[in-house]
Amino acid sequence: GSTDGTSEAIRAHYGSLVTVIRQENRGVSAARTRAIEEARSEWVAFLDSDDTWLPTKLEKQLEALTALGGGFGACFTNCVFVGGPAETAFAFERAGLKTQSQSGSLDDPARLLLSRHPAMHVQSMLVLRSLLLKLNGFDEFLLVEEDLDLFFRLSMETKLCYVSSPLVEIDDSRSRERLTGLYPGRADRIYACTEHRYRKWLALSQPEDTATRQTLRDELKAFYFGWAITRLKEVRLATAWEKLQCIHGLGMSYQNILLTLLSRAARKLWRNLD
């Protein structure tokens, strides 16, 4: 769906070595899902235009999958961020993922996926095509974090493993435009994407453990509070009331909702006075 001459450049440089598939531009999720459908290999991997695989990436991942045996449907590598100001340049370290070996199983992937910094990035993923087809690929409704959504659903279907070496370079330069740049604008569409993702996860038959499900509910409540407070500041009272009703629907009394709002307002006032 690009209009910058990419297809022509690929054909001119690679000829019949690669297959170029064109479709109307419907976003990254639609493009990746189309690629999954067109692929014919057992395993699928993704590479974005501004990132780089190191030469042994796929080799090390297949070695890890072979060594660990059956039951593993996806493998991720560590990544290194280049071009940015961050002091911590590696994905696993940012996420607090401590590995004891060159490769191994990812224990409690749901907890890892719900942490502040992601350890898994789509550029480092190697996954069974059959699993991606079963999950219907990437969710086209999501403008952002479509990869996080897929990873979470994958973690409910299969065991995940890692390679601790940073075998993918991710361009982290601030000069590049990204969809995550929409967040500061508090666009309703971005809020709707996050709500959709949490509601979708809670509707899954997995995870069965109550702790993870409660974490999802708590995060959704916190998200609704943030959405409502933003709309209250904008004097969009109908939307704010709608989100407060969503919190009530998650099992919180209106009294506790009011107390939470007052507590947040008091903390912010205290910080401003301080």
Side-chain angles (χ1 to χ4, degrees):
S2 62
T3 58
D4 60 358
T6 295
S7 298
E8 293 75 12
I10 290 174
R11 288 193 181 98
H13 188 76
Y14 293 102
S16 61
L17 291 175
V18 297
T19 301
V20 179
I21 301 163
R22 288 196 59 82
Q23 65 180 15
E24 178 188 356
N25 193 324
R26 302 200 315 271
V28 65
S29 292
R32 287 175 176 155
T33 298
R34 174 69 183 279
I36 294 165
E37 293 168 350
E38 296 284 349
R40 293 295 176 263
S41 57
E42 181 182 9
W43 296 90
V44 174
F46 301 89
L47 180 60
D48 291 347
S49 61
D50 51 351
D51 305 316
T52 304
W53 287 349
L54 299 187
T56 59
K57 173 192 179 288
L58 298 177
E59 176 186 350
K60 296 298 183 184
Q61 287 179 292
L62 289 171
E63 286 178 357
L65 287 162
T66 301
L68 290 167
F72 289 89
C75 181
F76 299 82
T77 78
N78 201 350
C79 303
V80 59
F81 299 94
V82 297
E87 294 181 5
T88 304
F90 299 99
F92 284 12
E93 285 72 4
R94 280 189 185 181
L97 174 60
K98 297 180 180 179
T99 58
Q100 303 299 322
S101 59
Q102 178 61 30
S103 62
S105 175
L106 274 175
D107 299 323
D108 197 6
R111 179 192 61 79
L112 192 64
L113 287 164
L114 295 174
S115 62
R116 181 179 179 184
H117 296 290
M120 307 177 201
H121 292 265
V122 70
Q123 303 93 322
S124 78
M125 178 174 69
L126 180 66
V127 60
L128 283 173
R129 177 173 174 267
S130 58
L131 278 175
L132 294 173
L133 291 173
K134 180 180 180 180
L135 295 171
N136 297 315
F138 293 84
D139 190 333
E140 292 187 37
F141 181 83
L142 298 174
L143 290 179
V144 293
E145 297 189 332
E146 75 290 335
D147 49 355
L148 175 61
D149 169 63
L150 180 66
F151 298 160
F152 188 88
R153 291 184 288 128
L154 265 177
S155 72
M156 300 297 114
E157 294 285 341
T158 185
K159 292 190 291 184
L160 309 179
C161 68
Y162 67 84
V163 173
S164 59
S165 299
L167 297 174
V168 177
E169 293 181 349
I170 295 178
D171 185 351
D172 200 33
S173 58
R174 294 294 181 260
S175 61
R176 300 191 66 86
E177 292 185 6
R178 289 178 171 82
L179 285 174
T180 49
L182 294 172
Y183 277 122
R186 307 294 190 191
D188 282 335
R189 184 70 174 85
I190 298 299
Y191 276 121
C193 287
T194 304
E195 178 184 31
H196 171 81
R197 178 165 51 79
Y198 278 120
R199 289 290 187 183
K200 179 179 177 179
W201 290 353
L202 284 168
L204 296 173
S205 58
Q206 301 281 350
E208 294 181 346
D209 66 287
T210 55
T212 299
R213 299 194 74 84
Q214 187 58 49
T215 297
L216 292 174
R217 291 173 67 86
D218 290 343
E219 290 200 2
L220 183 56
K221 285 180 190 175
F223 164 73
Y224 278 136
F225 270 116
W227 196 347
I229 290 169
T230 299
R231 296 304 173 241
L232 285 171
K233 291 177 181 177
E234 297 170 348
V235 199
R236 295 174 58 181
L237 302 183
T239 303
W241 173 243
E242 177 187 329
K243 301 314 163 188
L244 294 177
Q245 287 180 304
C246 289
I247 299 171
H248 180 66
L250 289 169
M252 196 171 190
S253 68
Y254 285 118
Q255 180 181 5
N256 284 336
I257 291 172
L258 178 59
L259 290 173
T260 300
L261 289 172
L262 292 174
S263 174
R264 289 191 173 204
R267 287 200 303 270
K268 183 170 183 180
L269 178 61
W270 179 258
R271 286 197 301 269
N272 291 337
L273 291 174
D274 193 40

